[in-house]
Amino acid sequence: MSTLTMATDFDTPSRTAVYRKVAFRIMPFLMLCYVAAYLDRINIGFAKLHMLNDLGFSETAYGLGAGLFFIGYLLFEVPSNLLMMRIGARKTISRIMILWAFVSAAFAFVETPTQFYVLRFLLGVAEAGFYPGVILYLTYWFPSTRRAKMVALFVGAVPLSGMLGAPLSGSIITMAQGLHGLSGWQWMFIIEAVPSLLLGLLCLKYLDDRPADAGWLQADEKALVEADLQAERERTKGDAATGSLRATLQDRRVWKMTAICFCSAICSYGVSFWLPTLVAQLKVGDVMHVGLYTAVPFTAAFICMYLIGRNSDRTRERRWHLVGPFACVCLGLCSSIWLHDSMAWALFALSVAAVGAYSTTAMLFSIPGLFLSGVGMAAGIAAINCIGGLGGFVSPYMVGLVKDMTGSTDNGVYFIACIAVVGAALTLTLPKKLVNR
């Protein structure tokens, strides 16, 4: 059978079995890594409920510190992804996870806003390259026709970290309060850094850089995967954007995807950093109950985003599968304000917003691999994620600033909802022939 025939016949049971085997081997581990990463990144949202009072920080200081993470992230993301192409995913992901574990634990000993700002910046530096590195890594194992649901599974670690981390963080803060003279939020930072350290060390033994290195695949299985991926590279190698870093950064499609990513980041990080605060405003009880109720929107997002990604792969449709989640963000956030007098309905609205916010991220990063490859893929994904990810700086800072100025998060939430509309409009400008395949 020719390489082209192998690469275009994607629905045979034998081929599906091979990719299922690959998915079961690498996806659970990558998801665990991202759960640890995201938990270390957003547990500041739970620490905020007590940390600000203990240290005398303002809401603006919190928002600025939360957002400074993305400045460090921006500066080191493209270099990290290009380095990964030279030394491999195994060493790159291990290095990143071990570094951020130590930085995350150091938050337990913050005393001043300046220390908070420095550590948030260093956390961004440490974690730079992890997300785009994994997205690039998935292109080494799955062709584009199977990649959206894999990206959705990986990004599903974000709401999964909320499902597990929200009640865990709330419980640690409550139960460890005063233990050995430390506050509960300090113990939370220390305890939740441990999984990142252990997974970073394990990564060196568990992950393989490419299918050719995988001792758990048979020779014919390696050949099948490599043939599918080679056929995909053949389809994109004539694209000028794949040839060099310079060509990639001059490509208008990359910058349009960056703008959409900026909108997506404002939505997803706005929900991530402020969801505990929005749930607490529903007067659900102490911080432990806030954690339990916060897990509800994360659970809904974890289930729905995979279903959206799977349906996108099945139908080979990308645009409306991205527009729909942006619409959910807008509708869900606005409704959570209008329905705040009803805890059940407000929580449902926040769940709709969470489904939309995290699904935009999953669908967004299934698209660049449709027109980029090689150096262009590494540089393009990193550039889209790090520059577009600056929305993660804007979002928490704006909401915090608005709350300090008005005493309410409502206008900040409306700001995020408006950005979701912009993201949907930009997505509709993507050519069908570029993304629907």
Side-chain angles (χ1 to χ4, degrees), residues 7 10 35 101 125 150 153 169 190 234 244 300 313 331 339 397 402 415 418 435:
F10 286 102
V35 165
V125 172
M150 293 301 113
L153 264 179
S169 297
I190 295 170
E234 291 293 326
S244 67
D313 274 348
L331 180 62
L339 301 170
Y397 179 65
V402 168
F415 165 76
C418 289
V435 298

Side-chain angles (χ1 to χ4, degrees), residues 124-149:
V125 172
E127 196 177 323
F130 177 77
Y131 180 83
V134 173
I135 298 300
L136 177 62
Y137 184 62
L138 293 179
T139 69
Y140 298 163
W141 294 87
F142 300 98
S144 61
T145 51
R146 298 179 184 272
R147 204 176 298 143
K149 59 178 175 289

Side-chain angles (χ1 to χ4, degrees), residues 33-108:
C33 291
Y34 203 29
V35 165
Y38 218 81
L39 190 58
D40 285 344
R41 188 189 300 184
I42 67 168
N43 56 11
I44 194 72
F46 273 93
K48 169 185 178 290
L49 300 176
H50 290 274
M51 183 182 182
L52 266 62
N53 288 333
D54 289 354
L55 301 180
F57 290 3
S58 68
E59 296 281 353
T60 303
Y62 164 75
L64 177 60
L68 279 172
F69 168 93
F70 297 94
I71 304 300
Y73 204 72
L74 167 66
L75 294 176
F76 289 87
E77 189 141 342
V78 172
S80 178
N81 239 30
L82 294 177
L83 179 63
M84 176 176 150
M85 292 196 71
R86 298 184 61 183
I87 67 173
R90 185 172 58 88
K91 293 179 181 178
T92 299
I93 295 174
S94 177
R95 167 187 60 82
I96 290 171
M97 296 191 69
I98 292 171
L99 284 176
W100 92 52
F102 284 108
V103 175
S104 184
F107 277 91

Side-chain angles (χ1 to χ4, degrees), residues 118 127 208:
V118 170
E127 196 177 323
D208 297 293

Side-chain angles (χ1 to χ4, degrees), residues 156-212:
V158 176
L160 183 61
S161 70
M163 289 165 55
L164 303 175
L168 175 64
S169 297
S171 298
I172 293 173
I173 291 173
T174 301
M175 298 172 66
Q177 178 63 31
L179 184 64
H180 297 296
L182 297 178
S183 297
W185 61 267
Q186 291 176 297
W187 279 113
M188 182 199 68
F189 282 123
I190 295 170
I191 293 171
E192 292 183 355
V194 173
S196 296
L197 177 61
L198 296 178
L199 287 167
L201 294 171
L202 182 59
C203 182
L204 291 171
K205 285 186 169 290
Y206 188 81
L207 285 185
D208 297 293
D209 286 329
R210 293 180 182 270

Side-chain angles (χ1 to χ4, degrees), residues 289-430:
H289 286 88
V290 171
L292 292 172
Y293 280 102
T294 300
V296 174
F298 285 126
T299 303
F302 177 70
I303 295 170
C304 293
M305 65 191 300
Y306 174 73
L307 296 177
I308 292 171
R310 186 175 70 173
N311 192 65
S312 176
D313 274 348
R314 183 179 62 82
T315 60
R316 310 286 173 88
E317 201 288 324
R318 314 295 178 184
R319 286 201 311 172
W320 288 105
H321 282 79
L322 182 52
V323 170
F326 271 124
C328 285
V329 175
C330 180
L331 180 62
L333 288 180
C334 291
S335 297
S336 72
I337 296 174
W338 304 332
L339 301 170
H340 71 276
D341 290 333
S342 169
M343 186 188 75
W345 281 109
L347 194 61
F348 175 78
L350 288 173
S351 298
V352 172
V355 167
Y358 295 122
S359 296
T360 62
T361 304
M363 287 307 308
L364 170 70
F365 281 97
S366 69
I367 294 175
L370 298 172
F371 60 92
L372 294 174
S373 66
V375 174
M377 174 78 81
I381 290 176
I384 290 167
N385 190 56
C386 73
I387 300 174
L390 282 176
F393 170 79
V394 172
S395 187
Y397 179 65
M398 285 296 297
V399 177
L401 182 63
V402 168
K403 185 174 182 183
D404 273 345
M405 293 175 61
T406 66
S408 170
T409 57
D410 287 3
N411 288 330
V413 171
Y414 282 133
F415 165 76
I416 297 172
C418 289
I419 293 298
V421 175
V422 174
L426 286 171
T427 301
L428 287 173
T429 66
L430 294 173

